[in-house]
Amino acid sequence: MTDHDRPATGQAYPPVTVVVATRDRPGLLERAVGAVLDQDYPGPVECLVVYDHTEIRPLDLPVPANRSLRYVNNTHSRGLPGGRNTGAEEASHDLLAFCDDDDRWLPAKLRRQVELLLTRPDAAAASCGIRLEGPGIAKERRLDAAEVTLPDFVEDRIMEVHSSTILLPRATWDAVGPVDEELPGGYGEDYEWLLRIAAHGPVVIVPEVLVVVDWHGGSFFFGRWATIVEATRYLIDKHPELAGSRTGMARLHGQIAFALAAGRRRREAVRELGRVIRLNPREKRVLVTVPVVLGLLSGERVLRLAQRTGRGV
């Protein structure tokens, strides 16, 4: 083994399993898996593709040395939470990474994150910077912080810690539990899981942009406003620590108010807006919800305008 095959700590690069959950998006999947197999990581990499209750269709991709490509069916509930949980159960290795099938990694992603984790045995997981790419947008988002802790996530969702950036040891997975499959509609499952991860230890950050996120201006949850309301209330009930931040609670109740307004439940939306203003009158979702309550704009229109700037609502 050469010096190139060992990180600065002197340890060997450990094997990693990368879970890619997918459903009926073969072109995007091939791009995502190809980027995983082409990592410049010196250690072994297993790419595990989890098909979400659809027929397994093997990809026509070369598999380089020190790489493996496997396919399994989702044996849990339909959707991303079940797919990710199936992948973690089927993984061959004790370092787990996740990549959405419409995103792609840059070549140094795994190497830089593993090197950081090896220097931070106290860390629960690692993340990195992202680049949003899509129609009319090409924007980098990176954190000016070495780590993100539970109080940070309680205060804000911190979108830079994207699901496709997460790398974590099996010990973290076992300690915090799987992705919540009971969350209504699977909405916000990554944020709920990150709250539990950060309660276990800090999420350390590689400052470089190492993941490209497909930002297509649409969302699986467009129009599913009742699901968003139900899921956000579920999240608040499940995580009492969220109540420790007025700013964080205003953000979450602002999401509920916006979804109620977009779903034409305007009287409920006005009551929810009152709660938001009492918690934090500067919460940005007040301004975007009012025109929806008044019927001046649709929720879908506001959401599309926000996503053009690389933000959600």
Side-chain angles (χ1 to χ4, degrees), residues 67-80:
R67 303 287 183 261
S68 63
L69 177 57
R70 287 203 292 136
Y71 308 93
V72 298
N73 281 121
N74 178 6
T75 57
H76 286 250
S77 60
R78 293 179 183 272
L80 275 175

Side-chain angles (χ1 to χ4, degrees), residues 113-287:
Q113 286 189 308
V114 170
E115 288 170 352
L116 179 58
L117 271 185
L118 290 176
T119 69
R120 289 292 304 269
D122 61 312
S127 181
C128 62
I130 61 176
R131 183 166 72 241
L132 309 179
E133 287 189 1
I137 188 168
K139 182 176 182 178
E140 292 190 350
R141 293 180 60 168
R142 65 184 85 201
L143 291 174
D144 185 21
E147 64 182 30
V148 182
T149 62
L150 180 59
D152 299 320
F153 280 119
V154 167
E155 190 84 359
D156 186 24
R157 165 60 185 86
I158 310 181
M159 296 302 296
E160 291 82 357
V161 185
H162 188 275
S163 55
S164 291
T165 72
I166 297 298
L167 170 75
L168 73 167
R170 170 72 65 178
T172 296
W173 178 275
D174 292 342
V176 307
V179 183
D180 189 348
E181 297 180 38
E182 300 300 318
L183 194 64
Y187 179 77
E189 90 290 335
D190 50 350
Y191 179 50
E192 192 283 323
W193 188 47
L194 282 169
L195 287 170
R196 287 184 280 131
I197 289 173
H200 183 64
V203 178
V204 292
I205 307 296
V206 176
E208 295 100 312
V209 169
L210 297 171
V211 174
V212 179
V213 174
D214 187 44
W215 198 257
H216 45 72
S219 170
F220 172 70
F221 290 98
F222 264 37
R224 301 183 68 196
W225 306 116
T227 297
I228 293 173
V229 171
E230 185 183 3
T232 307
R233 287 174 172 165
Y234 174 99
L235 179 72
I236 292 171
D237 290 342
K238 182 174 180 178
H239 288 275
E241 68 270 24
L242 291 168
S245 168
R246 293 178 66 88
T247 301
M249 287 295 281
R251 172 177 56 85
L252 292 168
H253 284 289
Q255 290 176 356
I256 294 172
F258 179 82
L260 287 169
R264 299 184 179 182
R265 296 161 64 180
R266 290 169 181 162
R267 187 170 298 177
E268 294 175 77
V270 170
R271 287 199 298 267
E272 200 71 30
L273 274 178
R275 175 180 291 181
V276 175
I277 292 169
R278 289 192 296 273
L279 285 166
N280 179 17
R282 298 181 179 180
E283 167 55 45
K284 67 178 183 179
R285 288 163 184 83
V286 173
L287 292 178

Side-chain angles (χ1 to χ4, degrees), residues 100-111:
D100 293 352
D101 65 358
D102 56 348
D103 299 331
R104 67 186 187 276
W105 291 356
L106 300 182
K109 193 265 188 190
L110 273 185
R111 177 175 54 80

